[in-house]
Amino acid sequence: MEVQEQTRRRHMVAIGPLLIGAADAVVIAGPCSVEPSYPEHAVQVAAQGVDALRACVFKPRTRPDAFQGLGRRALPLLEQARARTGLPLVSEVLSAEDAEILHDHVDAYQVGARNMQNVRLLEALGELRKPVILKRGLAATIDEWLAASDYITCRGNHQVVLCERGIRTFETSTRNTLDLAAVIVAQEPSQLPVIVDPSHAAGQGRWVPRLAAAALAVGADGLLIEVHPDPSQAWTDGQQAIGLEACAQIVRTARLRAATPPVPDLVPS
Ligand code: PEP
Ligand code: MN
């Protein structure tokens, strides 16, 4: 029986000058949350060769007494980071109001796992012409995740990137269970680029590099990774952050991807 290589229809999403969904896998990285030293963090993370920066100032925390992000106060820090690195910024929004506040300061919005089915937020982002990274919900099926992306695209904003970040299962050793099959499955019907966040899946920084490599091997269009110059000092999610050297290593692995693309899908002809 002959086999044929199946080629994927590709839809590319531009975040500033960065193209997601092209042959090169992209690396978006930075601390879990923007802290007062963010401009310095941004310069140090940028020096590792990443393509875009995490720049989260609104944090959806489990407990109301936990740090909720610097909010509006962080806007000058974002401007300094952009001026010093020239890199595009990606920032989480919990509401349409957050999106308005950040509109002129970031290049893409992130919708977190906890808000994947916040339909009013998705509709509002569908009306704006700014790219959206839509994370998979904590307990969402792939179908529900794709349906959530439709809330944005059906309003005319087709600049959507899906992000697998691990789901809740019976396993408790990792923070979440990284569903790498979801990358393959979601790419088929959606045409949208699919990236992977190994940090929130692993919950431990030392497990992140190998999960990142695995994500690239199955054909993820990029990575979203928590990186902090000193993970032990991070204000949020320090345990799962990786340091600068590990970040540089992951960037090198991602750059090799264009030379050694993932295993093609072979279908009987
Ligand atoms: C985050 O990216 O910091 C975050 C809160 O992620 P998630 O929505 O995947 O939990
Ligand atoms: Mn985090």
Side-chain angles (χ1 to χ4, degrees):
M1 188 185 358
E2 282 195 19
V3 289
Q4 254 183 8
E5 194 172 319
Q6 202 173 36
T7 46
R8 223 183 112 207
R9 289 168 300 165
R10 304 194 79 94
H11 170 77
M12 287 185 224
V13 173
I15 297 185
L18 179 63
L19 265 191
I20 307 186
D24 292 343
V26 304
V27 181
I28 305 168
C32 174
S33 47
V34 168
E35 305 170 14
S37 309
Y38 182 70
E40 194 48 42
H41 295 167
V43 168
Q44 292 184 48
V45 174
Q48 311 314 311
V50 308
D51 302 295
L53 294 168
R54 283 182 56 100
C56 296
V57 306
F58 297 113
K59 298 301 303 175
R61 306 303 304 283
T62 303
R63 296 198 51 83
D65 53 357
F67 173 60
Q68 305 286 310
L70 290 177
R72 282 176 193 275
R73 283 170 295 159
L75 296 181
L77 302 174
L78 301 190
E79 291 308 322
Q80 286 176 43
R82 185 202 292 284
R84 290 176 65 181
T85 66
L87 290 180
L89 306 182
V90 177
S91 196
E92 180 163 358
V93 288
L94 314 188
S95 65
E97 189 195 352
D98 292 352
E100 204 179 302
I101 293 168
L102 290 176
H103 190 269
D104 296 337
H105 305 278
V106 303
D107 300 277
Y109 297 127
Q110 175 178 318
V111 174
R114 289 156 193 80
N115 275 306
M116 187 203 83
Q117 286 181 314
N118 179 342
V119 295
R120 294 292 170 264
L121 173 61
L122 301 176
E123 285 167 354
L125 298 179
E127 299 293 339
L128 300 175
R129 295 293 172 264
K130 199 180 274 295
V132 178
I133 295 179
L134 178 64
K135 286 196 166 192
R136 183 176 178 187
L138 300 166
T141 65
I142 295 171
D143 266 354
E144 288 164 343
W145 185 26
L146 296 175
S149 75
D150 289 342
Y151 271 94
I152 306 171
T153 56
C154 76
R155 299 225 164 193
N157 183 358
H158 295 275
Q159 297 287 92
V160 178
V161 176
L162 299 168
C163 179
E164 159 65 33
R165 46 77 75 200
I167 48 173
R168 283 250 170 110
T169 66
F170 52 81
E171 182 54 69
T172 54
S173 308
T174 49
R175 186 174 179 185
N176 291 286
T177 298
L178 185 60
D179 181 6
L180 285 177
V183 175
I184 303 167
V185 175
Q187 278 174 340
E188 277 181 11
S190 78
Q191 299 181 41
L192 299 176
V194 184
I195 65 171
V196 169
D197 169 354
S199 307
H200 289 84
Q204 294 289 339
R206 66 183 186 281
W207 296 334
V208 166
R210 281 205 267 172
L211 290 179
L216 293 168
V218 296
D221 294 294
L223 300 166
L224 177 67
I225 300 186
E226 291 191 340
V227 179
H228 194 286
D230 183 355
S232 69
Q233 296 302 310
W235 285 22
T236 55
D237 281 351
Q239 207 174 23
Q240 68 195 32
I242 57 168
L244 298 171
E245 211 172 297
C247 176
Q249 179 60 48
I250 289 174
V251 171
R252 282 195 288 276
T253 309
R255 297 298 173 245
L256 289 174
R257 230 284 292 279
T260 46
V263 179
D265 297 330
L266 296 176
V267 293
S269 60

